[in-house]
Amino acid sequence: ARSMPTDTGRRWFDQSEAQGGAEYEYFTAFHWSVSQWTSAGAIDVAPVNTAERVLNILLVLFGLLFGGSVISSLSATMMQFRMLRQEQTEKLSTVRRFLAQHGVAQVLAVQIQRQIRERMSTGQPLMEREVPALGLLSTSLLTKLRANMFEACCLHYPLFRWWRMLDRGAVEVLCRDAAEFAFLVPGDHLFSVNTDS
């Protein structure tokens, strides 16, 4: 800063040198830079030549942009969280109304609501049907995607390993047309009596 050109013959630290030593000068510079970045307002140090004024203007503009982007990012995150909470509250309210309208016993209704709350808070992995854009894929690329997702599970079993050695394409078609993930939590049943599996 001492070697910067000045068109007025003065520099911002001329006044700080008169008031204190190097320590005061450093903390004054730090205070000034924080006030520019955060747009917190003026302090007792002001630009006294063109180069300092240009730097001051650039830092104020950058501080406004940076502060605005941080605030907008925080606002978007808070709105997303609020919408998620509102959606969960509406789902629980609908369940409570359904249980009340159908005269479900209080003990059972409490168990149902507790399990729904627990499952909403765990966050299930996305299922393929929840990603509509995958419907835009060609059949060959969808086959490769599903084979990549399911083949490792199928190959745990000797029959599928043997089948893959004979005809790799058939196992890929099996993965595309017949395989599906099911995410279960304790207490769920994969198969039930007298139902198709």
Side-chain angles (χ1 to χ4, degrees), residues 17-33:
E17 280 182 332
Q19 292 178 353
E23 186 175 298
Y24 180 81
E25 192 173 313
Y26 283 120
F27 280 110
T28 302
F30 180 69
H31 184 188
W32 179 84
S33 64

Side-chain angles (χ1 to χ4, degrees), residues 112-155:
I112 290 169
Q113 291 177 62
R114 183 184 305 128
Q115 188 173 78
I116 289 172
R117 258 192 244 93
E118 287 171 0
R119 293 186 180 197
M120 284 193 330
S121 65
T122 56
Q124 294 286 337
L126 279 175
M127 301 294 284
E128 188 177 328
R129 64 180 171 272
E130 296 173 308
V131 187
L134 293 178
L136 301 173
L137 295 177
S138 66
T139 305
S140 62
L141 197 55
L142 184 61
T143 301
K144 288 179 184 176
L145 170 66
R146 291 181 63 83
N148 185 269
M149 290 166 53
F150 298 116
E151 200 172 48
C153 296
C154 292
L155 296 180

